[in-house]
Amino acid sequence: MINRILQWYKLRKNTVIAHWLYGFMCAYIAMLFFPASLAMMGLFAGLERWNDLCEGTKEGCTDWWDSVITYSAGLVVILILEGIGLVAIRWI
């Protein structure tokens, strides 16, 4: 079942879903404390850069962008929900 789902998405590699989940997790953390989510995204960028340097690859940039896209989408959803009063952003 999982293989059929992965084939349907035609993922670049198997860790893409983990990067998406990390982005959404950082968006949730942004609702609680925005600077922490930025620090976590920066830490992830640094770790991906370090991984690229160690392995001699250039996939870290696309791995980071995978999480930035979901981070941004999660922030948009959270801001909309805060605007209509369903959630409360604690740092505003």
Side-chain angles (χ1 to χ4, degrees), residues 22 25-26 29 34-47 64:
Y22 185 80
M25 180 189 70
C26 286
I29 290 171
F34 188 69
S37 71
L38 290 178
M40 288 181 65
M41 290 303 288
L43 177 66
F44 185 65
L47 290 173
W64 184 75

Side-chain angles (χ1 to χ4, degrees), residues 12 45 48-49 52 58-67:
R12 184 175 47 80
E48 287 295 337
R49 176 72 176 139
D52 281 351
K58 296 187 188 239
E59 292 182 358
C61 181
T62 52
D63 291 346
W64 184 75
W65 279 109
D66 287 339
S67 33

Side-chain angles (χ1 to χ4, degrees), residues 55-87:
E55 294 182 359
T57 62
K58 296 187 188 239
E59 292 182 358
C61 181
T62 52
D63 291 346
W64 184 75
W65 279 109
D66 287 339
S67 33
V68 167
I69 297 296
T70 56
Y71 176 68
S72 302
L75 283 178
V76 167
V77 169
I78 288 170
L79 289 173
I80 290 170
L81 291 175
E82 202 273 335
I84 60 176
L86 290 178
V87 298

Side-chain angles (χ1 to χ4, degrees), residues 15-27:
T15 59
V16 170
I17 294 174
H19 300 144
W20 291 347
L21 293 174
Y22 185 80
F24 284 130
M25 180 189 70
C26 286

